[in-house]
Each structure stands twice: as structure tokens, then as C-alpha cells.
């Protein structure tokens, strides 16, 4: 007979692991035996890890992926829902804050972020999925808003993520039917940038990270924040915001950076902006 699930004895600090290699922080949801579902412990630990990595000089790009066969099977139905609810409203609210706060932090992260979706991706996992600037899935990954299958609505931002990333009819079908999409379908429907055979996924993500690493860090941050901000602005407000954001960028060393890039194009003729990034190693102090 099947044994009822028990709380996970894995220590909090082991629910997330990371390694840093060549400027890329590879961060893993690390509860593979629980399909990397998000417990309060994991949410707290992920908050700490994001905090540790955000301003490190040896990290230019953060990749969020999962240990084992899953990216993340959404919220932990035992530890995040049942146990918090049994403790009372205060515990439920605390658990929500712990989860939502790291997803929000990811949405506005200083460094470029890439979701590498290696397997299951359900419900609450759409929060961090949307938090990542770019996302690449393996063809055999499975994406689902399974909430409707257990009689709740896609909360924790998941409905918003579907409506943001997918055309209306597709978002509605996805949320109402509770059917899964493969990585390939997720790419067609706009949940991820691309889908690749599982054995090519890391290679492609590394390639993308390597391109991002060559960009000016401040310009990259301003760009990704701009694309997120302007979604909810009128055209006029967006134009104005972008002027201000560029002016702020100038104060972050933007003048010198641009002077050097322009010089490499117009005077030295060593690079063409239309064909790749300027050589930032030539910048003083870099
Ligand atoms: N919450 C709690 N425990 C989970 C979750 C979850 N979301 N997902 C997996 N687990 C646990 C299982 O209970 C099991 O624990 P046990 O070994 O202590 O019994 C263990 O992880 C392995 O899971 P299996 O179901 O045995 O793994 P399998 O590979 O057969 O299936 C699958 C994987 C399809 C992901 C399945 O586990 C599943 O349906 N999980 C729930 C997915 C889901 O709907 N998540 C909630 C989305 S809604 C939201 O996030 C608000």
C-alpha cells in the first residue's frame, strides 16, 4: 500500500544548490525526490541564494534550473498549502510572502536571468518562469496549470503569467483544461523562447549566456527592466520613462561606455554594432 507523503527532512540550506562557472551562476531547485516542488524552506533558501549572487562580480548571468527530472512541480501541496493552512492564516500569509518575494526579486534582478526548464513545470512554478528574462525548455519538458485539476484557481501570479505570455484564447484553454504542454508547444505558445532536445539544452543556454556576458552590464540591466516596465505604460509614458532610464544609465558610466563603443565603430573600425557587442575589455577600469 502507498505510504502517505511526509514533510521533507532535507535541511533548508540543501533545498537549493548552485555552482559558478565562467561568469554564470547555475542555480538548482534541489528537491529532486519531491520533484522540486516549492516548500517554505525552499522559498526561504532561494531568497538567500538570490541575495548572495546578485552583486557578485564573478556572476554576470544567472541560470535557474532543476535537479533531477523536474524543473519545479509547483507549490508543495503538503508543506506550503496543507501545513501552513493548518497553522493558521498567519502561516499562510508568511508562506505566500516567502514565495512571492523571491519571484519578484527575480523579475527585477540586477543580472540577466535564464530559465532552463529541464522537466516538469507546474502552477506556482510559472512565477519564477516569468521571473526569468529568457527561458529555454527541453522538448520533453511538461508545462501545466494543473490548479483546475485539484479545484483551485491558478494563483500566485500564475493566471497573470499565462495572460501575459500567451494569446488570450490559448491562456484561457491552458488554464481551464489543465492539460500539459510539451516544451515544443510551450515555445509555440510563448511560454519559453525555444525548445531543444534535452541533450542540447545546456549547450544552447551556455551559448546564450556567453552572448549576454559580452554586453555592457548596466545597459543590459536597464534594457531588461525597460522591457518589463513598458508593458504596462502608455506609449507616451514609455517614451518618457525610456529617456529618464537612459539618462540614469549615463550616470552609471554610460557616457564613457558609449564613447568607447562609438570610437570602436567610427574611428577604429574594429566592430559594427549591427553584428555584435563592442569590446568592453578596452574600457578603463574594466
Ligand atoms: N507538492 C507536494 N509533493 C509533491 C508535489 C507537489 N507539488 N509534486 C511532487 N510531490 C512529491 C510526491 O508527493 C512524491 O512524494 P513522496 O515520495 O513522499 O510520496 C514525490 O514528490 C514524487 O512524486 P511522484 O508523484 O511519485 O512523481 P512522478 O514522477 O510519478 O510524477 C508529477 C511527477 C507529475 C510532477 C506528480 O508528482 C504531480 O502531479 N505533482 C503535482 C504537480 C502539481 O500539480 N503541482 C501543483 C501545481 S498548482 C500550484 O502550484 C499552486
Amino acid at each position: 500500500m502507498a505510504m502517505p507523503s511526509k514533510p521533507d527532512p532535507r535541511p533548508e540550506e540543501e533545498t537549493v544548490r548552485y555552482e559558478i562557472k565562467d561568469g554564470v551562476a547555475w542555480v538548482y531547485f534541489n528537491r529532486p525526490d519531491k520533484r522540486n516542488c516549492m516548500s517554505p524552506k525552499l522559498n526561504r533558501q532561494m531568497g538567500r541564494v538570490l541575495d548572495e549572487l546578485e552583486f557578485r562580480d564573478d556572476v554576470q548571468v544567472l541560470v535557474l534550473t532543476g535537479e533531477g527530472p523536474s524543473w519545479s512541480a509547483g507549490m508543495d501541496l503538503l508543506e506550503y498549502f496543507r501545513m501552513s493552512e493548518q497553522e493558521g492564516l498567519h502561516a499562510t500569509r508568511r508562506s505566500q510572502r516567502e514565495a512571492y518575494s523571491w519571484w519578484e526579486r527575480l523579475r527585477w534582478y540586477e543580472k540577466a536571468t535564464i530559465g532552463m526548464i529541464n522537466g516538469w513545470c507546474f502552477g506556482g512554478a510559472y512565477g519564477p518562469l516569468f521571473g526569468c528574462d529568457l527561458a529555454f525548455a527541453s522538448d520533453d519538458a511538461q508545462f501545466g496549470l494543473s490548479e483546475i485539476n485539484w479545484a483551485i484557481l491558478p494563483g500566485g501570479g500564475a493566471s497573470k503569467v499565462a495572460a501575459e505570455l500567451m494569446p488570450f484564447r490559448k491562456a484561457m484553454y491552458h488554464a481551464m483544461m489543465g492539460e500539459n504542454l510539451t516544451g515544443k508547444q510551450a515555445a509555440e505558445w510563448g511560454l519559453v523562447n525555444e525548445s531543444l532536445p534535452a541533450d542540447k539544452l545546456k549547450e544552447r543556454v551556455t551559448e546564450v549566456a556567453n552572448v549576454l556576458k559580452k554586453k555592457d552590464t548596466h545597459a543590459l540591466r536597464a534594457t531588461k527592466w525597460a522591457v518589463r516596465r513598458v508593458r504596462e505604460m502608455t506609449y507616451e509614458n514609455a517614451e518618457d520613462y525610456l529617456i529618464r532610464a537612459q539618462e540614469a544609465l549615463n550616470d552609471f558610466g554610460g557616457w564613457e561606455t558609449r564613447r568607447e563603443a562609438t570610437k570602436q565603430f567610427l574611428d577604429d573600425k574594429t566592430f559594427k554594432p549591427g553584428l555584435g557587442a563592442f569590446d568592453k575589455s578596452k574600457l578603463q577600469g574594466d
Side-chain angles (χ1 to χ4, degrees):
M1 214 180 68
M3 293 289 291
S5 291
K6 292 203 197 64
D8 189 358
R10 184 178 293 254
E12 187 159 318
E13 61 276 17
E14 289 173 21
T15 55
V16 178
R17 73 171 186 87
Y18 67 83
E19 62 213 18
I20 298 172
K21 192 161 180 277
D22 301 331
V24 181
W26 299 85
V27 179
Y28 292 80
F29 290 105
N30 193 32
R31 303 177 71 210
D33 40 339
K34 296 285 185 181
R35 303 298 177 265
N36 297 328
C37 65
M38 288 176 270
S39 61
K41 283 191 212 166
L42 181 142
N43 290 326
R44 287 193 291 271
Q45 187 59 22
M46 193 63 90
R48 274 183 216 114
V49 165
L50 292 181
D51 193 54
E52 258 168 61
L53 296 172
E54 190 161 25
F55 290 98
R56 280 179 69 138
D57 290 337
D58 57 348
V59 174
Q60 268 108 58
V61 179
L62 183 143
V63 177
L64 180 58
T65 190
E67 192 60 65
S70 186
W71 193 63
S72 169
M75 308 322 290
D76 187 321
L77 269 61
L78 178 63
E79 296 186 41
Y80 177 88
F81 282 109
R82 186 194 279 172
M83 286 167 58
S84 297
E85 281 158 10
Q86 281 170 349
E87 226 186 291
L89 184 61
H90 69 284
T92 299
R93 288 286 182 268
R94 187 179 58 214
S95 296
Q96 288 166 338
R97 269 197 303 277
E98 287 163 352
Y100 299 177
S101 61
W102 79 260
W103 304 341
E104 181 189 6
R105 180 139 195 196
L106 198 58
R107 288 198 297 280
W108 302 105
Y109 210 59
E110 294 275 332
K111 306 286 169 64
T113 56
I114 305 176
M116 184 167 94
I117 321 302
N118 53 300
W120 304 110
C121 178
F122 285 111
Y126 281 36
L129 175 69
F130 183 62
C132 293
D133 303 321
L134 302 173
F136 296 81
S138 74
D139 291 340
D140 56 3
Q142 294 272 320
F143 294 78
L145 288 182
S146 54
E147 284 88 340
I148 193 61
N149 295 339
W150 61 288
I152 68 164
L153 59 76
S159 299
K160 175 71 172 160
V161 174
E164 287 280 312
L165 295 182
M166 295 177 173
F168 178 77
R169 291 285 176 217
K170 292 207 183 311
M172 202 56 109
Y173 186 94
H174 193 55
M176 291 177 73
M177 295 291 283
E179 292 173 1
N180 297 340
L181 302 173
T182 62
K184 261 188 186 353
Q185 289 169 314
E188 281 161 21
W189 287 28
L191 276 177
V192 296
N193 292 87
E194 290 171 28
S195 168
L196 301 113
D199 61 348
K200 295 276 179 299
L201 181 62
K202 189 165 187 191
E203 196 182 312
R204 175 66 180 133
V205 168
T206 305
E207 186 180 85
V208 172
N210 286 340
V211 173
L212 295 173
K213 268 158 45 184
K214 296 209 178 82
K215 311 296 183 196
D216 176 65
T217 318
H218 297 302
L220 192 58
R221 180 189 57 219
T223 298
K224 52 177 259 182
W225 287 353
V227 172
R228 282 192 194 268
R229 290 276 178 218
V230 298
R231 295 173 73 86
E232 293 180 3
M233 292 181 190
T234 62
Y235 202 98
E236 273 61 34
N237 286 345
E239 271 184 344
D240 189 63
Y241 168 82
L242 295 170
I243 289 173
R244 306 301 141 207
Q246 179 59 49
E247 286 172 358
L249 182 58
N250 293 342
D251 281 345
F252 260 103
W255 285 125
E256 294 90 296
T257 311
R258 202 184 327 166
R259 201 176 299 125
E260 174 59 31
T262 307
K263 175 175 165 290
Q264 288 178 20
F265 176 50
L266 295 179
D267 307 326
D268 307 344
K269 301 209 179 285
T270 50
F271 113 105
K272 295 179 195 289
L275 302 179
F278 80 110
D279 181 0
K280 67 176 177 180
S281 72
K282 299 245 156 44
L283 274 172
Q284 278 186 341
D286 204 78

